Amino acid sequence: MTVALTGTEAEAHHLDRADPGHRELFHIPPAVGGRYPDTAYLAGNSLGLQPRATREQLLADVDAWARLGVEGHLDAERPWLPYHESLTGPAARLVGAVPAETVMMNSLTVNLHLLMVSFYRPDGRRDRIVIEDSAFPSDSYAVRSQARFHGLDPDRAVVRLDPGDVLDYLAAEGDTVALVLLGGVNYLTGELMDIPAITEAGHAAGAVVGWDLAHAVGNVPLRLHDWDVDFAAWCTYKYLNAGPGAVAGAFVHERHLGARDDLPRFEGWWSTEAGTRFEMAPVSRPPATADAWQVSNPPIFAMGPVRTSLELFDQVGMAALRERSLRLTGYLARLLATAVPDGAFTVLTPADPDRRGCQLSVQLRGCSAEDLVERLSRRHGVVADARQPDVVRLAPVPLYSTHHDCWRAVEALAAEL
Ligand SMILES: *Cc1c(COP(=O)(O)O)cnc(C)c1O
Protein backbone atom coordinates (compact mmCIF):
# COMPACT_ATOMS: atom_id res chain seq x y z
CA MET A 1 0.00 0.00 0.00
CA THR A 2 2.73 2.45 0.99
CA VAL A 3 4.39 2.17 -2.42
CA ALA A 4 1.22 3.05 -4.30
CA LEU A 5 0.73 6.02 -1.98
CA THR A 6 4.24 7.44 -2.24
CA GLY A 7 4.18 11.22 -2.13
CA THR A 8 0.42 11.47 -1.67
CA GLU A 9 -1.56 13.19 1.05
CA ALA A 10 -3.02 9.81 2.03
CA GLU A 11 0.47 8.49 2.65
CA ALA A 12 1.25 11.48 4.89
CA HIS A 13 -1.86 10.78 7.00
CA HIS A 14 -0.99 7.09 7.08
CA LEU A 15 2.53 7.86 8.39
CA ASP A 16 1.11 10.22 11.02
CA ARG A 17 -1.24 7.59 12.37
CA ALA A 18 1.73 5.28 12.91
CA ASP A 19 3.96 8.07 14.30
CA PRO A 20 1.81 10.79 15.89
CA GLY A 21 4.34 12.79 17.96
CA HIS A 22 3.11 15.12 20.74
CA ARG A 23 1.18 17.72 18.80
CA GLU A 24 -1.72 17.68 21.29
CA LEU A 25 0.55 19.23 23.94
CA PHE A 26 0.99 22.44 21.87
CA HIS A 27 -1.01 25.38 20.59
CA ILE A 28 -0.82 25.24 16.79
CA PRO A 29 -1.42 28.74 15.31
CA PRO A 30 -4.43 28.96 12.97
CA ALA A 31 -3.69 29.42 9.25
CA VAL A 32 -4.37 32.75 7.56
CA GLY A 33 -4.69 31.13 4.13
CA GLY A 34 -5.02 27.76 2.40
CA ARG A 35 -7.52 24.95 2.86
CA TYR A 36 -6.57 23.74 6.36
CA PRO A 37 -7.58 25.38 9.65
CA ASP A 38 -4.11 25.13 11.24
CA THR A 39 -0.74 26.25 9.97
CA ALA A 40 1.82 23.72 8.85
CA TYR A 41 4.36 25.24 11.24
CA LEU A 42 7.91 24.59 10.08
CA ALA A 43 9.52 27.60 11.80
CA GLY A 44 10.17 26.02 15.22
CA ASN A 45 13.90 26.58 14.58
CA SER A 46 13.16 30.29 14.80
CA LEU A 47 10.47 30.42 17.49
CA GLY A 48 9.06 27.23 18.99
CA LEU A 49 5.34 26.88 19.65
CA GLN A 50 3.69 27.34 23.02
CA PRO A 51 3.13 24.21 25.12
CA ARG A 52 -0.44 24.10 26.43
CA ALA A 53 0.92 23.73 29.98
CA THR A 54 2.85 27.03 29.85
CA ARG A 55 0.01 29.44 30.54
CA GLU A 56 -1.11 27.80 33.78
CA GLN A 57 2.43 27.57 35.20
CA LEU A 58 3.11 31.17 34.28
CA LEU A 59 -0.11 32.37 35.92
CA ALA A 60 0.65 30.35 39.06
CA ASP A 61 3.95 32.25 39.43
CA VAL A 62 2.24 35.60 38.87
CA ASP A 63 -0.48 34.72 41.37
CA ALA A 64 2.12 33.79 43.98
CA TRP A 65 3.49 37.33 43.73
CA ALA A 66 -0.02 38.80 44.17
CA ARG A 67 -0.69 36.61 47.21
CA LEU A 68 2.69 36.60 48.90
CA GLY A 69 4.64 39.72 47.97
CA VAL A 70 8.23 39.41 49.14
CA GLU A 71 7.45 36.19 51.03
CA GLY A 72 7.24 34.45 47.68
CA HIS A 73 11.03 34.19 47.69
CA LEU A 74 10.65 31.40 50.26
CA ASP A 75 6.95 30.56 50.52
CA ALA A 76 5.73 30.31 46.92
CA GLU A 77 4.84 26.82 45.77
CA ARG A 78 7.95 27.12 43.60
CA PRO A 79 10.01 29.50 45.77
CA TRP A 80 11.83 32.19 43.82
CA LEU A 81 15.19 32.07 45.60
CA PRO A 82 16.08 28.55 44.46
CA TYR A 83 13.86 28.66 41.34
CA HIS A 84 16.74 28.40 38.87
CA GLU A 85 18.02 25.29 40.64
CA SER A 86 14.87 23.41 39.62
CA LEU A 87 15.90 23.91 35.98
CA THR A 88 19.44 22.64 36.38
CA GLY A 89 18.77 18.88 36.44
CA PRO A 90 16.58 18.69 33.33
CA ALA A 91 18.83 21.16 31.46
CA ALA A 92 21.89 19.06 32.30
CA ARG A 93 20.18 15.89 31.04
CA LEU A 94 19.28 17.62 27.78
CA VAL A 95 22.87 18.65 26.97
CA GLY A 96 24.62 15.61 28.48
CA ALA A 97 26.16 17.42 31.45
CA VAL A 98 26.43 16.77 35.16
CA PRO A 99 24.17 19.21 37.03
CA ALA A 100 27.07 21.25 38.47
CA GLU A 101 28.11 22.13 34.90
CA THR A 102 24.81 23.73 33.91
CA VAL A 103 22.92 26.91 34.74
CA MET A 104 19.91 28.59 33.17
CA MET A 105 20.38 32.37 33.09
CA ASN A 106 20.29 35.55 30.98
CA SER A 107 20.08 35.30 27.21
CA LEU A 108 22.32 33.51 24.76
CA THR A 109 24.65 36.27 23.58
CA VAL A 110 24.99 37.62 27.13
CA ASN A 111 26.05 34.14 28.24
CA LEU A 112 28.57 33.90 25.40
CA HIS A 113 30.11 37.16 26.62
CA LEU A 114 30.19 36.08 30.27
CA LEU A 115 31.83 32.81 29.26
CA MET A 116 34.34 34.48 26.93
CA VAL A 117 35.39 36.71 29.82
CA SER A 118 36.63 33.49 31.41
CA PHE A 119 37.63 31.46 28.39
CA TYR A 120 38.95 33.85 25.76
CA ARG A 121 42.39 34.66 27.15
CA PRO A 122 44.58 35.95 24.33
CA ASP A 123 48.21 35.39 25.18
CA GLY A 124 50.98 36.70 22.91
CA ARG A 125 50.89 34.97 19.55
CA ARG A 126 47.93 32.83 20.61
CA ASP A 127 45.16 35.39 20.31
CA ARG A 128 42.86 34.31 17.47
CA ILE A 129 39.21 33.35 17.65
CA VAL A 130 38.01 30.88 15.01
CA ILE A 131 34.34 31.07 13.99
CA GLU A 132 32.48 29.75 10.94
CA ASP A 133 32.15 32.08 7.95
CA SER A 134 28.37 31.65 8.08
CA ALA A 135 28.20 32.42 11.82
CA PHE A 136 25.03 34.01 13.15
CA PRO A 137 25.59 37.80 13.23
CA SER A 138 25.21 38.04 17.00
CA ASP A 139 28.11 35.61 17.42
CA SER A 140 30.23 37.54 14.92
CA TYR A 141 29.59 40.82 16.71
CA ALA A 142 30.22 39.21 20.09
CA VAL A 143 33.64 37.78 19.18
CA ARG A 144 34.73 40.96 17.39
CA SER A 145 33.81 43.05 20.42
CA GLN A 146 35.68 40.61 22.67
CA ALA A 147 38.79 41.05 20.52
CA ARG A 148 38.46 44.85 20.81
CA PHE A 149 37.91 44.52 24.56
CA HIS A 150 41.40 42.96 24.71
CA GLY A 151 42.87 45.77 22.62
CA LEU A 152 43.15 43.60 19.50
CA ASP A 153 42.20 44.33 15.91
CA PRO A 154 39.12 42.18 15.21
CA ASP A 155 39.87 42.02 11.47
CA ARG A 156 43.05 40.14 12.35
CA ALA A 157 42.11 38.31 15.56
CA VAL A 158 38.81 36.87 14.30
CA VAL A 159 39.31 34.16 11.68
CA ARG A 160 36.23 33.15 9.70
CA LEU A 161 36.44 29.70 8.15
CA ASP A 162 34.34 27.34 6.11
CA PRO A 163 33.40 24.68 8.70
CA GLY A 164 35.02 22.05 6.49
CA ASP A 165 38.39 23.84 6.84
CA VAL A 166 38.47 24.13 10.65
CA LEU A 167 40.40 20.90 11.29
CA ASP A 168 43.07 21.74 8.68
CA TYR A 169 43.42 25.24 10.06
CA LEU A 170 43.89 23.92 13.59
CA ALA A 171 46.54 21.49 12.35
CA ALA A 172 48.44 24.23 10.49
CA GLU A 173 47.90 27.37 12.61
CA GLY A 174 46.66 25.94 15.90
CA ASP A 175 49.36 27.62 17.99
CA THR A 176 47.83 31.01 17.13
CA VAL A 177 44.30 30.05 18.17
CA ALA A 178 43.07 31.00 21.64
CA LEU A 179 39.41 30.08 21.12
CA VAL A 180 37.28 28.06 18.71
CA LEU A 181 33.62 29.12 18.91
CA LEU A 182 31.24 27.43 16.48
CA GLY A 183 27.55 26.74 16.12
CA GLY A 184 26.75 23.09 16.91
CA VAL A 185 24.14 23.17 14.14
CA ASN A 186 24.62 26.01 11.67
CA TYR A 187 21.62 28.34 11.71
CA LEU A 188 21.69 28.90 7.95
CA THR A 189 22.61 25.54 6.42
CA GLY A 190 21.33 23.23 9.17
CA GLU A 191 24.67 21.38 9.15
CA LEU A 192 25.45 19.47 12.36
CA MET A 193 29.15 19.81 13.22
CA ASP A 194 31.26 16.96 14.49
CA ILE A 195 31.38 18.48 17.97
CA PRO A 196 33.60 15.80 19.61
CA ALA A 197 36.14 15.75 16.74
CA ILE A 198 36.47 19.55 16.51
CA THR A 199 36.67 19.86 20.30
CA GLU A 200 39.43 17.26 20.40
CA ALA A 201 41.36 18.93 17.57
CA GLY A 202 41.04 22.33 19.26
CA HIS A 203 42.41 20.91 22.49
CA ALA A 204 45.25 19.16 20.66
CA ALA A 205 46.18 22.59 19.26
CA GLY A 206 46.12 24.10 22.74
CA ALA A 207 42.93 26.14 22.20
CA VAL A 208 39.77 26.47 24.25
CA VAL A 209 36.64 25.17 22.49
CA GLY A 210 33.17 26.62 23.06
CA TRP A 211 29.89 25.88 21.27
CA ASP A 212 26.84 27.95 20.49
CA LEU A 213 24.04 25.40 20.70
CA ALA A 214 21.12 27.66 19.69
CA HIS A 215 20.13 25.32 16.85
CA ALA A 216 21.42 22.11 18.40
CA VAL A 217 19.75 21.92 21.80
CA GLY A 218 16.44 20.07 21.70
CA ASN A 219 17.23 19.17 18.08
CA VAL A 220 20.06 16.63 18.33
CA PRO A 221 21.38 14.55 21.26
CA LEU A 222 24.33 16.19 23.02
CA ARG A 223 27.00 14.82 25.39
CA LEU A 224 28.91 17.94 26.34
CA HIS A 225 30.59 16.44 29.39
CA ASP A 226 31.89 13.32 27.62
CA TRP A 227 32.93 15.35 24.58
CA ASP A 228 35.07 17.47 26.90
CA VAL A 229 33.60 20.73 25.61
CA ASP A 230 35.02 23.69 27.59
CA PHE A 231 31.89 25.83 27.56
CA ALA A 232 28.61 26.24 25.71
CA ALA A 233 25.54 28.44 25.63
CA TRP A 234 22.08 28.10 24.08
CA CYS A 235 18.76 29.88 23.87
CA THR A 236 15.44 28.31 24.81
CA TYR A 237 12.97 29.96 22.45
CA LYS A 238 13.83 27.87 19.37
CA TYR A 239 13.53 24.08 19.74
CA LEU A 240 12.92 24.42 23.49
CA ASN A 241 9.63 26.30 23.06
CA ALA A 242 10.08 28.54 26.12
CA GLY A 243 8.80 31.71 24.43
CA PRO A 244 10.29 34.83 22.84
CA GLY A 245 13.43 36.03 24.59
CA ALA A 246 13.17 33.23 27.20
CA VAL A 247 15.97 32.57 29.68
CA ALA A 248 19.00 30.86 28.12
CA GLY A 249 21.42 28.14 29.25
CA ALA A 250 25.13 27.86 29.90
CA PHE A 251 27.55 24.98 30.37
CA VAL A 252 31.01 25.03 31.93
CA HIS A 253 32.96 21.78 32.00
CA GLU A 254 33.58 20.31 35.45
CA ARG A 255 37.35 20.69 35.10
CA HIS A 256 36.94 24.48 35.05
CA LEU A 257 34.74 24.62 38.16
CA GLY A 258 35.80 25.43 41.69
CA ALA A 259 37.84 28.09 43.42
CA ARG A 260 40.33 29.18 40.78
CA ASP A 261 41.74 32.65 41.22
CA ASP A 262 43.36 32.53 37.77
CA LEU A 263 39.99 32.34 36.00
CA PRO A 264 38.56 35.83 35.45
CA ARG A 265 34.81 36.17 35.77
CA PHE A 266 32.29 39.00 35.97
CA GLU A 267 30.40 38.59 39.24
CA GLY A 268 27.36 39.83 41.14
CA TRP A 269 25.48 38.71 44.20
CA TRP A 270 24.18 35.61 42.43
CA SER A 271 27.76 34.46 41.80
CA THR A 272 28.27 33.72 45.48
CA GLU A 273 27.27 30.55 47.39
CA ALA A 274 23.49 30.67 47.96
CA GLY A 275 24.05 30.16 51.69
CA THR A 276 26.28 33.25 51.93
CA ARG A 277 24.20 35.55 49.71
CA PHE A 278 22.44 37.31 52.54
CA GLU A 279 25.51 37.68 54.72
CA MET A 280 26.06 40.82 52.63
CA ALA A 281 29.81 40.17 52.75
CA PRO A 282 32.09 42.44 50.69
CA VAL A 283 33.87 39.52 49.00
CA SER A 284 32.07 36.74 47.11
CA ARG A 285 32.47 33.02 47.73
CA PRO A 286 31.58 31.45 44.38
CA PRO A 287 30.25 27.87 44.43
CA ALA A 288 32.07 25.08 42.58
CA THR A 289 29.29 24.99 39.98
CA ALA A 290 28.27 26.88 36.85
CA ASP A 291 26.06 28.99 39.15
CA ALA A 292 29.23 31.02 39.81
CA TRP A 293 28.73 32.60 36.35
CA GLN A 294 25.35 34.03 37.36
CA VAL A 295 25.34 37.74 38.06
CA SER A 296 21.84 38.94 38.97
CA ASN A 297 18.74 37.42 40.52
CA PRO A 298 16.79 35.66 37.78
CA PRO A 299 13.55 36.85 36.06
CA ILE A 300 11.11 34.41 37.66
CA PHE A 301 8.24 34.97 35.21
CA ALA A 302 10.60 34.16 32.35
CA MET A 303 11.80 30.98 34.08
CA GLY A 304 8.38 29.26 34.34
CA PRO A 305 8.06 28.60 30.61
CA VAL A 306 11.61 27.21 30.56
CA ARG A 307 10.67 24.87 33.37
CA THR A 308 7.55 23.66 31.53
CA SER A 309 9.61 23.06 28.42
CA LEU A 310 12.43 21.20 30.13
CA GLU A 311 9.92 18.95 31.93
CA LEU A 312 8.44 18.08 28.56
CA PHE A 313 11.82 17.13 27.12
CA ASP A 314 12.49 15.09 30.24
CA GLN A 315 9.24 13.17 29.77
CA VAL A 316 9.61 12.47 26.07
CA GLY A 317 13.40 12.05 26.01
CA MET A 318 15.84 13.34 23.42
CA ALA A 319 16.64 9.85 22.10
CA ALA A 320 13.00 9.22 21.14
CA LEU A 321 12.72 12.70 19.65
CA ARG A 322 15.80 12.17 17.52
CA GLU A 323 14.36 8.88 16.19
CA ARG A 324 11.17 10.66 15.17
CA SER A 325 13.16 13.58 13.80
CA LEU A 326 15.14 11.29 11.49
CA ARG A 327 11.87 9.87 10.13
CA LEU A 328 10.21 13.27 9.62
CA THR A 329 13.17 15.05 8.06
CA GLY A 330 13.98 12.00 5.93
CA TYR A 331 10.40 12.10 4.66
CA LEU A 332 10.63 15.85 3.90
CA ALA A 333 13.94 15.33 2.07
CA ARG A 334 12.40 12.55 -0.08
CA LEU A 335 9.40 14.70 -0.97
CA LEU A 336 11.62 17.68 -1.85
CA ALA A 337 13.73 15.47 -4.11
CA THR A 338 10.76 14.32 -6.17
CA ALA A 339 7.98 16.88 -6.04
CA VAL A 340 9.50 20.19 -7.06
CA PRO A 341 10.54 21.11 -10.63
CA ASP A 342 14.20 20.45 -11.42
CA GLY A 343 16.56 23.34 -10.86
CA ALA A 344 14.09 25.49 -8.86
CA PHE A 345 16.31 25.13 -5.79
CA THR A 346 19.16 23.24 -4.16
CA VAL A 347 19.13 21.80 -0.67
CA LEU A 348 22.07 23.32 1.27
CA THR A 349 21.79 20.93 4.21
CA PRO A 350 23.96 17.79 4.11
CA ALA A 351 22.10 14.75 2.76
CA ASP A 352 23.65 12.49 5.43
CA PRO A 353 21.21 12.35 8.40
CA ASP A 354 24.19 12.11 10.79
CA ARG A 355 25.31 15.55 9.64
CA ARG A 356 22.06 17.42 10.18
CA GLY A 357 19.29 17.99 12.70
CA CYS A 358 15.66 18.46 11.67
CA GLN A 359 16.11 21.59 9.53
CA LEU A 360 16.47 21.53 5.76
CA SER A 361 17.61 24.75 4.09
CA VAL A 362 16.61 25.34 0.54
CA GLN A 363 18.44 27.81 -1.69
CA LEU A 364 16.18 29.28 -4.34
CA ARG A 365 17.09 30.18 -7.89
CA GLY A 366 15.74 33.41 -9.33
CA CYS A 367 13.21 34.02 -6.56
CA SER A 368 13.31 36.03 -3.34
CA ALA A 369 13.08 33.97 -0.16
CA GLU A 370 11.07 36.60 1.68
CA ASP A 371 8.55 36.81 -1.12
CA LEU A 372 8.17 33.03 -1.33
CA VAL A 373 7.75 32.64 2.43
CA GLU A 374 5.03 35.30 2.40
CA ARG A 375 3.17 33.43 -0.36
CA LEU A 376 3.56 30.08 1.42
CA SER A 377 1.85 31.56 4.44
CA ARG A 378 -0.84 33.64 2.74
CA ARG A 379 -1.90 31.10 0.12
CA HIS A 380 -1.15 27.79 1.83
CA GLY A 381 -0.97 28.31 5.59
CA VAL A 382 2.62 27.00 5.55
CA VAL A 383 4.95 28.81 7.96
CA ALA A 384 8.63 28.65 7.00
CA ASP A 385 11.29 31.29 7.40
CA ALA A 386 13.42 33.28 5.02
CA ARG A 387 17.06 34.23 5.30
CA GLN A 388 17.75 36.89 2.72
CA PRO A 389 18.33 36.87 -0.11
CA ASP A 390 17.53 33.32 -1.21
CA VAL A 391 17.39 30.75 1.61
CA VAL A 392 14.18 29.22 2.98
CA ARG A 393 14.46 27.12 6.11
CA LEU A 394 12.01 24.27 6.76
CA ALA A 395 12.18 22.63 10.18
CA PRO A 396 9.82 19.76 10.96
CA VAL A 397 10.10 19.72 14.75
CA PRO A 398 9.82 16.21 16.19
CA LEU A 399 7.67 17.26 19.18
CA TYR A 400 4.78 18.74 17.21
CA SER A 401 5.31 18.67 13.44
CA THR A 402 3.67 15.99 11.32
CA HIS A 403 4.27 14.21 8.02
CA HIS A 404 1.21 16.05 6.78
CA ASP A 405 2.90 19.39 7.59
CA CYS A 406 5.88 18.28 5.46
CA TRP A 407 3.56 17.17 2.68
CA ARG A 408 1.72 20.52 2.75
CA ALA A 409 5.01 22.44 2.62
CA VAL A 410 6.23 20.55 -0.43
CA GLU A 411 2.86 20.77 -2.18
CA ALA A 412 2.90 24.55 -1.58
CA LEU A 413 6.49 24.87 -2.83
CA ALA A 414 5.66 22.90 -5.95
CA ALA A 415 2.69 25.21 -6.59
CA GLU A 416 4.67 28.42 -6.03
CA LEU A 417 7.92 27.61 -7.84
C1 LIG B 1 19.18 32.52 17.64
C2 LIG B 1 20.63 32.71 17.75
C3 LIG B 1 21.18 33.74 18.54
C4 LIG B 1 20.28 34.74 19.22
O1 LIG B 1 20.93 35.40 20.26
P1 LIG B 1 20.12 36.01 21.49
O2 LIG B 1 21.19 36.41 22.41
O3 LIG B 1 19.22 34.92 22.01
O4 LIG B 1 19.30 37.14 21.00
C5 LIG B 1 22.55 33.81 18.64
N1 LIG B 1 23.37 32.93 18.01
C6 LIG B 1 22.86 31.93 17.23
C7 LIG B 1 23.78 30.97 16.56
C8 LIG B 1 21.49 31.81 17.07
O5 LIG B 1 20.99 30.84 16.29
Side-chain angles (χ1 to χ4, degrees):
M1 177 170 111
T2 315
V3 173
L5 290 175
T6 295
T8 66
E9 185 169 19
E11 183 200 36
H13 284 309
H14 174 76
L15 291 170
D16 283 332
R17 278 191 295 276
D19 185 11
H22 299 273
R23 191 178 185 80
E24 74 287 354
L25 299 179
F26 289 84
H27 291 286
I28 310 293
V32 288
R35 41 197 174 91
Y36 304 92
D38 291 340
T39 48
Y41 193 83
L42 298 179
N45 57 336
S46 183
L47 186 75
L49 292 179
Q50 185 185 137
R52 289 185 182 274
T54 298
R55 185 185 169 87
E56 198 182 321
Q57 284 227 13
L58 193 53
L59 290 177
D61 289 333
V62 174
D63 289 347
W65 178 32
R67 229 176 29 253
L68 299 167
V70 70
E71 309 295 347
H73 281 305
L74 296 172
D75 295 344
E77 188 192 335
R78 291 184 288 276
W80 306 330
L81 278 179
Y83 203 111
H84 75 278
E85 292 168 14
S86 69
L87 309 181
T88 300
R93 284 190 283 281
L94 193 58
V95 298
V98 298
E101 294 172 322
T102 315
V103 59
M104 301 304 293
M105 60 179 189
N106 310 313
S107 45
L108 167 54
T109 312
V110 170
N111 288 345
L112 288 176
H113 275 300
L114 291 175
L115 292 164
M116 280 192 279
V117 163
S118 300
F119 296 110
Y120 173 50
R121 313 275 306 278
D123 182 13
R125 212 173 117 66
R126 188 186 285 284
D127 65 358
R128 296 184 189 166
I129 306 176
V130 169
I131 63 170
E132 69 270 49
D133 52 10
S134 55
F136 192 81
S138 197
D139 302 48
S140 295
Y141 306 160
V143 296
R144 288 179 62 85
S145 65
Q146 285 281 332
R148 278 198 301 274
F149 176 71
H150 287 279
L152 301 170
D153 172 6
D155 289 336
R156 194 194 52 75
V158 175
V159 179
R160 307 179 67 95
L161 296 176
D162 183 293
D165 295 337
V166 170
L167 292 180
D168 285 346
Y169 187 85
L170 287 170
E173 307 266 345
D175 62 339
T176 66
V177 178
L179 171 65
V180 179
L181 180 65
L182 301 174
V185 170
N186 184 269
Y187 84 100
L188 187 65
T189 64
E191 179 178 2
L192 167 61
M193 303 299 159
D194 190 341
I195 299 176
I198 294 173
T199 303
E200 194 183 336
H203 289 166
V208 172
V209 185
W211 291 91
D212 181 329
L213 301 174
H215 284 268
V217 71
N219 181 13
V220 292
L222 297 166
R223 288 175 30 219
L224 300 186
H225 178 88
D226 292 346
W227 293 340
D228 210 25
V229 163
D230 291 290
F231 71 90
W234 58 93
C235 54
T236 61
Y237 49 81
K238 292 171 179 165
Y239 295 108
L240 299 191
N241 313 308
V247 173
F251 165 91
V252 177
H253 198 277
E254 201 169 43
R255 68 201 147 72
H256 299 302
L257 302 175
R260 287 187 43 188
D261 290 338
D262 62 330
L263 202 63
R265 188 167 49 222
F266 286 170
E267 294 187 347
W269 70 318
W270 281 70
S271 317
T272 198
E273 286 272 4
T276 65
R277 191 164 294 139
F278 290 91
E279 290 172 7
M280 302 307 192
V283 177
S284 74
R285 298 229 313 262
T289 68
D291 281 12
W293 274 264
Q294 293 182 112
V295 179
S296 294
N297 79 106
I300 297 303
F301 303 145
M303 306 288 272
V306 178
R307 188 187 152 98
T308 307
S309 162
L310 291 175
E311 282 169 1
L312 225 158
F313 274 86
D314 242 3
Q315 278 162 27
V316 178
M318 202 51 233
L321 283 174
R322 175 63 171 168
E323 287 296 309
R324 182 160 193 273
S325 180
L326 290 169
R327 292 192 292 272
L328 266 183
T329 298
Y331 174 71
L332 177 61
R334 281 199 300 283
L335 291 185
L336 282 172
T338 54
V340 183
D342 250 8
F345 61 69
T346 39
V347 177
L348 292 178
T349 313
D352 177 359
D354 289 338
R355 291 185 53 216
R356 69 187 185 203
C358 71
Q359 169 187 326
L360 295 182
S361 300
V362 161
Q363 186 163 35
L364 307 171
R365 217 157 286 146
C367 165
S368 136
E370 207 159 90
D371 185 52
L372 177 66
V373 160
E374 193 273 326
R375 279 183 282 141
L376 291 178
S377 169
R378 182 165 43 81
R379 296 194 191 156
H380 306 272
V382 171
V383 181
D385 89 352
R387 283 292 171 262
Q388 286 292 76
D390 57 0
V391 176
V392 172
R393 304 185 302 175
L394 303 166
V397 172
L399 267 172
Y400 51 73
S401 296
T402 60
H403 295 83
H404 191 244
D405 291 337
C406 298
W407 181 85
R408 281 175 62 189
V410 175
E411 190 206 35
L413 278 172
E416 293 296 333
L417 288 174

